[in-house]
């Protein structure tokens, strides 16, 4: 696959398929815009149509779903807000409404969940935290209790971070938990770009 083939995955409504078989998901839209922006090749796709598709995935609560009408989810919020950031269209985001929905993801133990009534997970320190950072609302969560939650998820003997305290560590949660700690200004970590 050539990088120009990414443009062939864009549909008429601005969405992107993940492959030649056509599954549609806002993650694919973000992946396409992110890759092309890093290569300075955004001109290969119709960015205004992509932005229109992201806006079609906006929900009443300020969050975004995987497709129009789908439930808001913090992972989808990240990819949609990230796509809007890449497109230079963050002005389309209702930052107070979305910031409110995202800050409600923080539970009493400091951890964050991806949607209402779900368990906290260390990886959401990235998905929620980066989205809040992109809309300048990261101060709407309690960074200290989040850091304590993440640190409780680590394996202090063998290293790594799990989804929740006491669970098995893995690379995925380790990477996103460390990135989340960076977003909240944890000491001795390099700053990470939220997009």
């Amino acid at each position: 696959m050539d990088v120009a083939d990414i443009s062939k995955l864009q549909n008429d409504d601005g969405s992107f398929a993940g492959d030649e078989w056509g599954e549609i998901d806002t993650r694919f839209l973000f992946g396409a815009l992110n890759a092309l922006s890093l290569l300075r090749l955004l001109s290969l796709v119709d960015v205004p149509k992509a932005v229109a598709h992201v806006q079609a995935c906006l929900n009443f609560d300020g969050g975004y779903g995987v497709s129009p009408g789908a439930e808001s989810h913090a992972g989808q919020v990240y990819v949609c807000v990230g796509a809007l950031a890449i497109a230079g269209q963050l002005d389309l985001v209702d930052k107070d409404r979305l910031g409110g929905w995202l800050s409600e993801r923080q539970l009493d133990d400091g951890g964050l969940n991806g949607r209402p009534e779900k368990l906290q997970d260390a990886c959401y320190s990235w998905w929620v935290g980066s989205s809040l950072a992109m809309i300048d609302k990261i101060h709407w969560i309690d960074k200290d209790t989040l850091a304590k939650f993440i640190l409780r998820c680590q394996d202090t003997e063998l290293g790594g971070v799990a989804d929740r305290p006491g669970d098995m560590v893995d690379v995925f949660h380790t990477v996103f938990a460390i990135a989340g700690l960076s977003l909240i200004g944890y000491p001795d970590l390099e700053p990470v770009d939220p997009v």
Side-chain angles (χ1 to χ4, degrees), residues 3 23 44 47 54 75 78 85 98 108 116-117 120 125 144 147 166 169 172 175 178:
V3 73
E23 180 186 1
L44 294 178
V47 175
V54 168
Y78 166 76
L98 178 58
D108 292 340
E117 304 301 320
Q120 68 280 40
S125 62
D144 292 333
V169 302
F172 176 87
V175 167
I178 292 171

Side-chain angles (χ1 to χ4, degrees), residues 65-190:
V66 67
S67 59
E71 175 186 20
S72 294
H73 187 282
Q76 301 310 133
V77 168
Y78 166 76
V79 298
C80 289
V81 174
L84 293 174
I86 291 166
Q89 296 288 305
L90 281 176
D91 58 305
L92 296 175
V93 177
D94 183 337
K95 294 177 182 178
D96 287 341
R97 181 174 292 192
L98 178 58
W101 187 85
L102 288 166
S103 63
E104 288 174 357
R105 305 284 52 83
Q106 190 161 39
L107 304 178
D108 292 340
D109 67 356
L112 298 161
N113 64 17
R115 53 197 167 119
E117 304 301 320
K118 295 298 180 180
L119 293 174
Q120 68 280 40
D121 187 320
C123 71
Y124 287 111
S125 62
W126 168 255
W127 305 118
V128 172
S130 59
S131 299
L132 285 167
M134 285 187 269
I135 62 169
D136 299 318
K137 302 292 185 192
I138 190 100
H139 60 282
W140 282 19
I141 57 171
D142 186 329
K143 296 176 188 178
D144 292 333
T145 61
L146 176 56
K148 289 175 185 172
F149 171 78
I150 294 169
L151 295 176
R152 286 193 311 274
C153 294
Q154 70 179 325
D155 182 331
T156 56
E157 293 178 20
L158 300 176
V161 179
D163 56 351
R164 284 177 279 290
D167 286 355
M168 183 66 85
V169 302
D170 60 68
V171 173
F172 176 87
H173 288 92
T174 300
V175 167
F176 289 116
I178 292 171
L181 286 170
S182 173
L183 284 169
I184 60 174
Y186 193 78
D188 301 322
L189 291 177
E190 293 292 321

